[in-house]
Amino acid sequence: QSAGGIARALAGDVLTADEATTALAGFAASGASARAVIETLAGAAGGWFRADVGKLALLHGDGAAVELADMGAGEEHGRGRRDIAAADTAPRALTLAYYEPGRDYQAGVQRAMRPGAGVREARMELAAAIDAASAKTIAEAALMRLDMERERRTVALPWGSLEVRPGERVTIAGAPGTWRVERWRLENMVVLLECV
């Protein structure tokens, strides 16, 4: 079963999710709330949420993206900004706890490390049955995402761009790659999108 399919089953008709997310041999849904469990599944799949009409969509990876041309490039007050946080603000190591079917479902741990500065560590608890190689891949991908998210851009758009919402995939003119809108605000009839 895919992480997205499990999340959709837990959320009922308020969530849509792509079936192409990380495959899990099994999953134990427990926690303080369905939201916490679904957020854990999204983290394992490298996903995030976007508000759609009456639902949330669990997105991950590349896909259709809205093209943006920043009208505020070079301006002050946060418009057209590019920020990269120091390397030590991202975890240098990530530990993933999971259950390994090949070892009679005993608890397993996989650790991913990145080179460079920093001493911070992150831990992901995933009550899922996965093999060691898949667990290592999930841990490495999660650590890489945390490191990549140090780079942020603030894009200024005309007020007519109100339909671009948090969670949307976007491409930014002059910036390589696909970005995700993390925050949205309207100031003086200008839409400001904070993207990672």
Side-chain angles (χ1 to χ4, degrees), residues 12-191:
D13 60 355
V14 297
L15 180 74
T16 60
D18 186 352
E19 286 295 334
T21 54
T22 305
L24 305 174
F27 184 77
S30 64
S33 66
R35 175 184 174 167
V37 174
I38 291 167
E39 286 176 345
T40 298
L41 286 164
W48 64 91
F49 300 96
R50 181 188 68 203
D52 286 339
V53 179
K55 293 187 178 206
L56 282 177
L58 173 58
L59 304 177
H60 75 97
D62 288 332
V66 176
E67 294 180 24
L68 305 178
D70 188 359
M71 69 177 222
E75 293 186 22
E76 305 217 0
H77 310 299
R79 294 183 183 181
R81 287 182 47 180
R82 176 180 181 242
D83 298 303
I84 301 178
D88 63 357
T89 60
R92 187 155 185 251
L94 184 138
T95 302
L96 173 69
Y98 65 100
Y99 297 97
E100 194 169 333
R103 293 179 36 209
D104 201 23
Y105 297 94
Q106 291 184 52
V109 173
Q110 288 292 329
R111 186 172 167 87
M113 294 190 69
R114 68 166 174 79
V119 295
R120 291 184 54 217
E121 294 197 15
R123 184 170 175 89
M124 182 185 292
E125 301 280 343
L126 185 60
I130 46 180
D131 61 79
S134 296
K136 185 74 168 180
T137 300
I138 291 170
E140 289 172 344
L143 185 62
M144 184 179 69
R145 280 191 306 276
L146 290 169
D147 189 47
M148 288 176 62
E149 288 178 0
R150 292 184 304 114
E151 183 175 0
R152 297 174 173 270
R153 289 188 179 259
T154 302
V155 180
L157 301 172
W159 70 271
S161 302
L162 292 171
E163 74 279 357
V164 181
R165 59 207 154 176
E168 196 76 70
R169 285 185 197 98
V170 296
T171 57
I172 302 169
T178 303
W179 298 75
R180 179 182 78 238
V181 177
E182 189 170 72
R183 289 186 182 89
W184 175 107
R185 66 185 193 273
L186 181 65
E187 291 181 5
N188 300 322
M189 301 306 284
V190 174
V191 176

